[in-house]
Short mmCIF file of all heavy atoms in Angstrom, two decimals:
data_model
loop_
_atom_site.label_atom_id
_atom_site.label_comp_id
_atom_site.label_asym_id
_atom_site.label_seq_id
_atom_site.Cartn_x
_atom_site.Cartn_y
_atom_site.Cartn_z
N PRO A 1121 86.98 -54.06 85.74
CA PRO A 1121 87.94 -54.69 84.79
C PRO A 1121 87.19 -55.18 83.51
O PRO A 1121 86.03 -55.55 83.58
CB PRO A 1121 88.52 -55.97 85.56
CG PRO A 1121 88.11 -55.69 87.01
CD PRO A 1121 86.95 -54.92 86.99
N SER A 1338 92.82 -84.49 104.10
CA SER A 1338 92.05 -85.54 103.42
C SER A 1338 90.78 -85.09 102.88
O SER A 1338 90.23 -85.66 101.99
CB SER A 1338 91.96 -86.75 104.32
OG SER A 1338 90.98 -86.38 105.47
N ALA A 1367 100.26 -73.36 104.15
CA ALA A 1367 101.21 -74.42 103.71
C ALA A 1367 100.45 -75.30 102.61
O ALA A 1367 100.99 -75.78 101.65
CB ALA A 1367 101.69 -75.20 104.87
N ALA A 1424 87.00 -65.06 95.25
CA ALA A 1424 87.07 -66.21 94.19
C ALA A 1424 88.04 -65.74 93.16
O ALA A 1424 88.61 -66.62 92.53
CB ALA A 1424 85.63 -66.35 93.60
N GLN A 1462 87.33 -79.53 86.52
CA GLN A 1462 86.46 -80.60 86.95
C GLN A 1462 86.23 -81.65 85.79
O GLN A 1462 86.31 -82.83 85.93
CB GLN A 1462 85.20 -80.25 87.55
CG GLN A 1462 84.52 -81.26 88.47
CD GLN A 1462 83.10 -81.00 88.70
OE1 GLN A 1462 82.38 -80.28 88.00
NE2 GLN A 1462 82.51 -81.73 89.80
N GLU A 1463 86.07 -81.05 84.59
CA GLU A 1463 85.77 -81.86 83.47
C GLU A 1463 87.00 -82.82 83.14
O GLU A 1463 86.93 -84.06 82.98
CB GLU A 1463 85.58 -81.07 82.27
CG GLU A 1463 84.28 -80.44 82.09
CD GLU A 1463 83.10 -81.28 81.83
OE1 GLU A 1463 83.32 -82.36 81.14
OE2 GLU A 1463 82.02 -81.12 82.45
N ASN A 1592 94.89 -88.37 102.37
CA ASN A 1592 94.28 -89.03 103.56
C ASN A 1592 95.22 -90.03 104.19
O ASN A 1592 94.83 -90.76 105.05
CB ASN A 1592 93.01 -89.73 102.98
CG ASN A 1592 93.38 -90.85 101.91
OD1 ASN A 1592 94.34 -90.73 101.25
ND2 ASN A 1592 92.43 -91.78 101.86
N ARG A 1617 114.63 -88.69 101.72
CA ARG A 1617 113.99 -90.01 101.37
C ARG A 1617 113.38 -90.58 102.78
O ARG A 1617 114.06 -90.66 103.77
CB ARG A 1617 115.04 -91.04 100.93
CG ARG A 1617 114.42 -92.31 100.49
CD ARG A 1617 115.34 -93.48 100.40
NE ARG A 1617 116.44 -93.25 99.41
CZ ARG A 1617 117.66 -93.65 99.38
NH1 ARG A 1617 117.93 -94.57 100.34
NH2 ARG A 1617 118.52 -93.39 98.38
N HIS A 1623 103.12 -100.12 106.90
CA HIS A 1623 102.73 -100.75 105.69
C HIS A 1623 102.90 -99.79 104.48
O HIS A 1623 102.97 -98.67 104.65
CB HIS A 1623 101.18 -101.32 105.76
CG HIS A 1623 100.33 -100.39 106.59
ND1 HIS A 1623 100.08 -99.09 106.09
CD2 HIS A 1623 99.80 -100.45 107.69
CE1 HIS A 1623 99.26 -98.48 106.95
NE2 HIS A 1623 99.12 -99.29 108.02
N HIS A 1645 106.52 -81.48 98.86
CA HIS A 1645 105.81 -82.25 97.94
C HIS A 1645 106.57 -83.54 97.49
O HIS A 1645 107.75 -83.61 97.64
CB HIS A 1645 105.34 -81.48 96.73
CG HIS A 1645 106.45 -80.88 95.92
ND1 HIS A 1645 107.10 -79.87 96.22
CD2 HIS A 1645 107.12 -81.64 94.94
CE1 HIS A 1645 108.15 -79.65 95.31
NE2 HIS A 1645 108.08 -80.62 94.66
#
Side-chain angles (χ1 to χ4, degrees):
S1338 65
Q1462 202 196 18
E1463 286 292 325
N1592 66 334
R1617 188 195 300 154
H1623 37 69
H1645 62 274

